[in-house]
Amino acid sequence: MKLYSYFRSSASYRVRIALNLKNLPYEYLPVHLLRDGGEQFKPEYRELNHDAIVPTLVDGDHVITQSLAIIEYLEETHPEPPLLPSKPVDRAYVRSIVQQLACEIHPLNNLRVLKYLKRTVGVNDEVKDAWYRHWISSGFAALEEYLVADGRAGKLCFGDTPTIADICLVPQVFNANRFNVDMSPYPTIRRICEHANTLDAFARAEPGVQPDAE
Amino acid sequence: MKLYSYFRSSASYRVRIALNLKNLPYEYLPVHLLRDGGEQFKPEYRELNHDAIVPTLVDGDHVITQSLAIIEYLEETHPEPPLLPSKPVDRAYVRSIVQQLACEIHPLNNLRVLKYLKRTVGVNDEVKDAWYRHWISSGFAALEEYLVADGRAGKLCFGDTPTIADICLVPQVFNANRFNVDMSPYPTIRRICEHANTLDAFARAEPGVQPDAE
């Protein structure tokens, strides 16, 4: 398999963790999101990914875009070890956390959204950074409540075994730390993330150890 | 089953279509997102949904949040008729379209995001409406390209049978029309959506025919 990735992209980071957890080797193809106005806009890449974003997974003849579609595909084609619980109601719990992260927080802080805020809306860096932190803080506040109230969390979001929820949580916490979000109101999220990062599959996916890390 | 819904919420609209396609009857519990500062913020609702958003599905003892987690749950617990193709690679194609809509377009135009833009960033209605239309137009442009280049679309996003892709597409096109987005550059999207709306399950889920429609 080949993965088009950018070291700092959290969507790429998710797929790297999933590939590592599944013990699937892959070729790392870097796409620099800033260099030359963004390599993701080059015609040859846009043929693979019309949205001009990372990641893109190539598995033989199949080109798959969107990190969560890729991870569900890996789960279906390489079921062991599973990244979702077995009971539908528990799978729904995990997928709900995934969507809370992937729909309520992450899209608002995407590179292109920050660019639009600065260039088109015309906000300054202070307003942009406050925007960034606002969506993480409000999303994490709700997620912290959910994790505590639900009771299915253990060392990780669902018991002690890694699921797609942890795969999405860790990159989001990485971003929060990068932007100096105060994590003290979210002890459960912090604890889960610290534990996940002790696992080899998560550690090997970290932005700082990727071939294109700067 | 009980569905906490708001007639105009596109995430609720998705779940209504899915329930109709699966022929599952449900009790409709309206949550007015604007009245009294938003009924979704009331403590009794926030106990069910910590994010204070709709929809929430209650199935017996199980409370499930996030529209896509709900729909995947319905797919697993009530497999017929299926809302995903059978082959993993085709399921990935459908889920990729779903995420293109649910992550790249929809979250940017959520009520709370528009509120933050107006109240905190301080933009006027013209800038806010341009923002709204920008994310739909850029997302639809990429999706139109994807649908045409991929070749798996038929009368609907995947052949002629409704999938989660159509379930997410139709509410997004509804929003586009509501905000007068020029749909002429997206003939495939328009055609798919027009066909979907001829189907009873889609028609019965439309905002205008819900119990809380205004």
Side-chain angles (χ1 to χ4, degrees), chain B residues 61-100:
Chain B
D61 291 338
H62 306 314
V63 177
I64 303 173
T65 61
Q66 287 292 336
S67 60
L68 300 175
I70 294 171
I71 295 170
E72 294 267 3
Y73 170 80
L74 294 173
E75 180 72 358
E76 292 178 349
T77 52
H78 300 81
E80 295 298 327
L83 303 180
L84 282 169
S86 53
K87 282 199 243 164
V89 67
D90 293 331
R91 295 161 74 87
Y93 160 80
V94 166
R95 288 197 178 106
S96 175
I97 296 170
V98 165
Q99 301 294 334
Q100 286 174 48

Side-chain angles (χ1 to χ4, degrees), chain B residues 142-182:
Chain B
L143 181 58
E144 176 75 21
E145 261 185 57
Y146 184 65
L147 289 166
V148 171
D150 183 88
R152 272 174 278 193
K155 285 184 190 166
L156 294 166
C157 289
F158 179 77
D160 299 339
T161 311
T163 63
I164 309 180
D166 309 298
I167 287 174
C168 290
L169 184 61
V170 165
Q172 193 58 69
V173 171
F174 179 89
N175 288 347
N177 289 334
R178 209 175 131 226
F179 276 76
N180 299 313
V181 172
D182 174 15

Side-chain angles (χ1 to χ4, degrees), chain B residues 2-6 26-31 45 54 58 211-212:
Chain B
K2 293 176 187 175
L3 181 69
Y4 289 87
S5 168
Y6 178 58
Y26 63 95
E27 188 183 345
Y28 189 104
L29 299 169
V31 180
Y45 184 70
V54 285
V58 179
D212 56 341

